[in-house]
Amino acid sequence: MLTTAANTVVSVYVRKKDREELLFAKERAEESDRLKSAFLDNISHEIRTPMNSIFGFISLLQNPNLTNIERNEYIHIVKEGGERLLNTIRDIVDISEVEAKQVFVELSKIDINELVLTIISLYKSDAEAKGLTINNSALVSHDSAQVKTDKNKVYSILSNIIKNAIKYTSIGYIEIGVERNLSDIVLYVKDTGIGIPVEKQQVIFDRFVQVDSSKTRLYEGSGLGLSIAKAYVEMLGGKIWLNSELNKGSTFYIQIPVSD
Ligand code: ADP
């Protein structure tokens, strides 16, 4: 039997625990609310902006007196708007599949050097259009390059990170490399871009988090790319991290366990 004093101590303790749990639940509900608002703000911005430019420039294209140069420029803008919409839709579908646990790992033997070189060649024109160079800084020996992993996921992880490197860099270069250890590979993507403030370096992997989330933000994007990349890396049993310095650049590292 507890004494009255002990009973009081226990009930104060329980009340304190209840309060802590309630506070925790309240904070989680608020965080989830903030995420929902961020989702709506972000996605509606990412759908409306290209839609407005598509409709606007299609109207302008109806003018029969346009010069060829003007017509080509407007067609280019409409195409860019379409691509931006498609990217947003792809990101939403990818993250929804992750949430619904409908993404599965499919292992096959690949040549990791070949994958890195293919991705570089795919993004070369985007980088060069901004005056950036994009190169591989390290590859592994032919034998070490043969690894068993999920090709599509590695492709998608690297693509998301390289797209960001190009987007957030205006002068300099992007460097992509791969290292092989006994039971894993480490891929890295280095850029000389705007960098990421220390206090944001962890949260950018959360859904919809962007360093600049203002309505007037300079860079387009759904805020989903890194959370998709992180989900895929973790599905493969790996890790993703970064080093970054503001106004100097960022390096993203991806470590993935592989077998021969
Ligand atoms: P977004 O669609 O906004 O690019 P991501 O999930 O891919 O979404 O990235 C989240 C945020 O992380 C970006 O909005 C940006 O603020 C920051 N970020 C990602 N990659 C880089 C990079 N290479 N350099 C600077 N900032 C970056």
Side-chain angles (χ1 to χ4, degrees), residues 164 167-168 191 195-196 204 209-211 221-226 250:
N164 280 345
K167 178 160 65 168
Y168 297 106
D191 68 56
I196 300 161
I204 51 166
V209 174
Q210 299 177 306
V211 171
S222 63
L224 287 171
L226 284 180
S250 313

Side-chain angles (χ1 to χ4, degrees), residues 42 46 91 160-169 174 189-197 200 203-213 217 219-229 242 244 246 249-252:
N42 226 334
E46 278 311 300
D91 281 354
N160 272 320
I161 291 171
I162 294 172
K163 268 195 264 173
N164 280 345
I166 297 173
K167 178 160 65 168
Y168 297 106
T169 304
I174 321 283
V189 178
K190 175 178 163 52
D191 68 56
T192 53
I194 60 172
I196 300 161
K200 296 278 184 181
V203 290
I204 51 166
F205 292 103
D206 294 344
R207 282 167 294 154
F208 309 116
V209 174
Q210 299 177 306
V211 171
D212 177 7
S213 54
R217 72 191 146 91
Y219 301 96
E220 59 189 54
S222 63
L224 287 171
L226 284 180
S227 46
I228 295 166
L242 74 146
S244 185
L246 218 48
S250 313
T251 308
F252 282 81

Side-chain angles (χ1 to χ4, degrees), residues 120-148:
I120 291 178
S121 69
L122 284 176
Y123 285 101
K124 213 173 183 67
S125 61
D126 287 353
E128 285 174 356
K130 286 187 74 180
L132 305 169
T133 55
I134 180 165
N135 282 308
N136 67 284
S137 55
L139 292 177
V140 292
S141 71
H142 175 74
D143 284 349
S144 317
Q146 317 306 311
V147 294
K148 208 170 178 188

Side-chain angles (χ1 to χ4, degrees), residues 234-251:
E234 287 176 352
M235 237 173 251
L236 298 175
K239 276 194 248 146
I240 181 166
W241 70 98
L242 74 146
N243 282 333
S244 185
E245 206 179 325
L246 218 48
N247 303 319
K248 291 240 167 83
S250 313
T251 308

